[in-house]
C-alpha cells in the first residue's frame, strides 16, 4: 500500500509499505477513505524529530470502511463505515471507564512513561503505524472505532477522530459559565472549532486571536470577535483591548490552541532547532530532559484570563524544562486543565450536532482536499500557512 512516511526534519514522502494485517483478536483493518493533516503532525515535521524514526507512518485522523476484524471484535463487520479515534484504548480498564481513554492502562507506553498509545505519533506513544495511508490496522477495535451511517460525505464525520473531541474537551475544560466570555488563542483547526463549540454551548462572547488573515476571516464570519496580532505593538496592548471588552477583568476562560510552536519565542525556537540537529543517539535523551517550549501563547493566556478564571490548554506542549510564571498563576488563582482529548468520552455528546443543519459547519470546514500522493506538498503548504490552508483532508 501507499503511506506517508517521515524521513527527517521537513521531509515526508509517500512510499510503498507492507499492507497491515490482523495480528490480535482485538484488531481490525480498515480501508481509509479520508485522513486529516493535523497541526500536531507539524510538530513531528519540525520540532519533535528527536522522537521519530525514518520510515514511521504518519497520521491520526482517519475514517474508512472495515475490511477485516479479529475474533474478539463483536460489534464490527466488514463493510461498516467507521471513524477511528487518534488514541488507542481498551474501554475496560479503570481509566477508560472513568472517561480517560488517553490514559488507558492497557495501552499506556510504559517504556516511555507516557499515556495511551497514539496512531502515527513518535516512539513516545508506541510508534504505532499511522493513518495517512491506504489501509490501517486498528488495535483495540472492540472499543475505539465509531460507527457512522452511510450517506453523508466523509466531511460530516471525519473530524470525530480528533478535531471535534479535542475542541469539545477544550471548551468543556474551560468551564465557561452560561453567557460568559472566552478567548481562544490560535484559530487553526482546533481553535476555530473551539470557537464554534463555545457558541453552541452557550458562551455569551467569544474572542479569537490569530495572525493569519484567512483564519481570522473564517472565525469572524461565524460571529467571533477577532483580534489580529499584527495590529498590536505588543502583548500588553492585545490584553488590554480584550480586557476593555470584559469590564476590565479579562475573559472568564482562555483556551490556548497554539502550543509549543508559538511565535515570538526566539530563544526557545533556537533550543528546539539545536536539539533537532544533534545526532540521533543524543537528541532523544537531550529532548527528554532539557527540551523547552515556545511559551508566548501560554504566557499571554496567563496574563489575559480574569482572576479566578480557567485556562484550557489544548495546543501540544512537549517541554521538560519550561519556566512558568508561578507567582502570577498563584496570585490570580488560575485553574488549569489540559491533556489529549478523550475521544470516546465526548463522541456521543458531539454526534447529535452532526446533522443536516450542520450547526458546527463541518461540511465546509476543510479548506483543501488533496490526494494522498500530494502529502509532501500538503505538509509544506500547511506548515507555511500558504494558500489559505486551515484544514487539509487527504484521500488515499
Amino acid at each position: 500500500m501507499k503511506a506517508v512516511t517521515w524521513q527527517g526534519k521537513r521531509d515526508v514522502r509517500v512510499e510503498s509499505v507492507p499492507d497491515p494485517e490482523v495480528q490480535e483478536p482485538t484488531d481490525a483493518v480498515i480501508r481509509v477513505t479520508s485522513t486529516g493533516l493535523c497541526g500536531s503532525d507539524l510538530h513531528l515535521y519540525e520540532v519533535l524529530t528527536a522522537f521519530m524514526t525514518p520510515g514511521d507512518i504518519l497520521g491520526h485522523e482517519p475514517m474508512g470502511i472495515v475490511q477485516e476484524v479479529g475474533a474478539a471484535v463483536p460489534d464490527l463487520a466488514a463493510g461498516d463505515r467507521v471513524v477511528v479515534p487518534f488514541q488507542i484504548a481498551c474501554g475496560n480498564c479503570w481509566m477508560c471507564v472513568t472517561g480517560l481513554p488517553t490514559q488507558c492502562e492497557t495501552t499506556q507506553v510504559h517504556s516511555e512513561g507516557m499515556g495511551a498509545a497514539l496512531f502515527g505519533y513518535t516512539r513516545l506513544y508506541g510508534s504505532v503505524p499511522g493513518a495517512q495511508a491506504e489501509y490501517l490496522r486498528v488495535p483495540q477495535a472492540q472499543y475505539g472505532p465509531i460507527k457512522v451511517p452511510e450517506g453523508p460525505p466523509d466531511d460530516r464525520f471525519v473530524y470525530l477522530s480528533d478535531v471535534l473531541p479535542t475542541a469539545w474537551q477544550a471548551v468543556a475544560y474551560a468551564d465557561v459559565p452560561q453567557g460568559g466570555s472566552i478567548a481562544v488563542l490560535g484559530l487553526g483547526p482546533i481553535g476555530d472549532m473551539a470557537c464554534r463549540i463555545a457558541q453552541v454551548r452557550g458562551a455569551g462572547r467569544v474572542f479569537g486571536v490569530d495572525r493569519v488573515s484567512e483564519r481570522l476571516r473564517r472565525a469572524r464570519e461565524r460571529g467571533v470577535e477577532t483580534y489580529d496580532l499584527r495590529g498590536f505593538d505588543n502583548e500588553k496592548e492585545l490584553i488590554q483591548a480584550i480586557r476593555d471588552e470584559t469590564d476590565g477583568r479579562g475573559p472568564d476562560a482562555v483556551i490556548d490552541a497554539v502550543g509549543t510552536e508559538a511565535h515570538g519565542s526566539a530563544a526557545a525556537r533556537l533550543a528546539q532547532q539545536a536539539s533537532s540537529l544533534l545526532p540521533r543517539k543524543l537528541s532523544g535523551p537531550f529532548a527528554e530532559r532539557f527540551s523547552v517550549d515556545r511559551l508566548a501563547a501560554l504566557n499571554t493566556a496567563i496574563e489575559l484570563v480574569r482572576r479566578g478564571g480557567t485556562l484550557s490548554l489544548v495546543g501540544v506542549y512537549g517541554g521538560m524544562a519550561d519556566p512558568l510564571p508561578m507567582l502570577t498563576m498563584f496570585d490570580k488563582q488560575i485553574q488549569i486543565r489540559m491533556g489529549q482529548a478523550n475521544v470516546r468520552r465526548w463522541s456521543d455528546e458531539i454526534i447529535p450536532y452532526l446533522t443536516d443543519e450542520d450547526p458546527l459547519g463541518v461540511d465546509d470546514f476543510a479548506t483543501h482536499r488533496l490526494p494522498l500522493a500530494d502529502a509532501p506538498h500538503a505538509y509544506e503548504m500547511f506548515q507555511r500557512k500558504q494558500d489559505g490552508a486551515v484544514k487539509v483532508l487527504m484521500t488515499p
Side-chain angles (χ1 to χ4, degrees), residues 29-315:
V29 172
I30 71 164
R31 175 175 59 83
V32 178
T33 57
S34 291
T35 186
L37 174 55
C38 178
S40 298
D41 293 323
L42 295 185
H43 299 319
L44 313 182
Y45 191 67
E46 179 78 25
V47 175
L48 300 179
T49 57
F51 304 111
M52 298 295 290
T53 302
D56 283 350
I57 300 175
L58 299 171
H60 57 268
E61 296 187 349
M63 70 175 294
I65 306 300
V66 175
Q67 302 296 293
E68 184 180 2
V69 296
V73 185
D75 296 326
L76 289 184
D80 284 344
R81 189 186 192 197
V82 296
V83 178
V84 180
F86 68 88
Q87 78 250 175
I88 301 166
C90 72
N92 296 314
C93 69
W94 187 89
M95 287 290 182
C96 286
V97 170
T98 53
L100 293 169
T102 52
Q103 310 302 327
C104 175
E105 293 170 321
T106 301
T107 71
Q108 281 178 15
V109 184
H110 295 289
S111 61
E112 303 290 342
M114 304 298 280
L118 310 179
F119 287 104
Y121 214 77
T122 80
R123 66 173 172 79
L124 294 178
Y125 291 101
S127 295
V128 181
Q132 290 169 6
E134 293 180 303
Y135 293 90
L136 176 69
R137 172 181 168 249
V138 182
Q140 303 297 328
Q142 82 287 349
Y143 174 67
I146 303 165
K147 285 199 285 189
V148 296
E150 297 294 336
D154 282 6
D155 293 51
R156 181 72 57 84
F157 303 113
V158 66
Y159 304 115
L160 282 169
S161 60
D162 184 351
V163 173
L164 282 166
T166 297
W168 192 276
Q169 179 171 295
V171 176
Y173 280 7
D175 195 25
V176 187
Q178 284 293 306
S181 57
I182 184 170
V184 179
L185 306 184
L187 297 175
I190 302 302
D192 186 343
M193 186 57 72
C195 289
R196 303 178 187 202
I197 290 169
Q199 290 170 326
V200 302
R201 286 175 60 104
R205 300 186 73 178
V206 179
F207 307 101
V209 180
D210 208 293
R211 56 187 297 133
V212 179
S213 298
E214 175 64 16
R215 295 178 175 186
L216 290 160
R217 180 192 64 78
R218 280 166 56 99
R220 190 162 51 247
E221 288 177 351
R222 296 190 68 90
V224 176
E225 300 176 53
T226 58
Y227 291 78
D228 187 340
L229 279 171
R230 297 168 299 183
F232 298 90
D233 290 335
N234 53 56
E235 166 197 293
K236 292 186 182 298
E237 286 188 5
L238 167 70
I239 291 170
Q240 189 59 50
I242 298 177
R243 281 181 178 165
D244 288 345
E245 296 295 321
T246 54
D247 297 322
R249 298 187 189 94
D252 297 308
V254 176
I255 293 175
D256 172 3
V258 179
T260 184
E261 292 190 271
H263 292 272
S265 304
R269 179 182 177 88
L270 287 172
Q272 290 174 343
Q273 292 175 336
S275 174
S276 71
L277 294 174
L278 291 171
R280 292 192 59 78
K281 289 185 178 180
L282 299 177
S283 62
F286 180 89
E288 288 175 11
R289 300 179 67 179
F290 303 113
S291 59
V292 294
D293 292 298
R294 302 178 221 173
L295 298 175
L298 178 56
N299 286 328
T300 297
I302 291 168
E303 289 295 329
L304 177 59
V305 71
R306 69 163 170 80
R307 291 178 177 273
T310 302
L311 297 186
S312 177
L313 308 187
V314 65

Side-chain angles (χ1 to χ4, degrees), residues 313-337:
L313 308 187
V314 65
V316 173
Y317 285 98
M320 291 294 286
D322 289 336
L324 294 174
M326 293 301 297
L327 173 62
T328 300
M329 295 160 65
F330 182 85
D331 179 66
K332 291 185 71 173
Q333 292 186 253
I334 294 171
Q335 303 173 75
I336 302 177
R337 298 194 71 181

Side-chain angles (χ1 to χ4, degrees), residues 17 23 60 85 87 163 191 274 383 393:
V17 300
Q23 299 175 18
H60 57 268
Q87 78 250 175
V163 173
Q383 198 265 346
L393 293 180

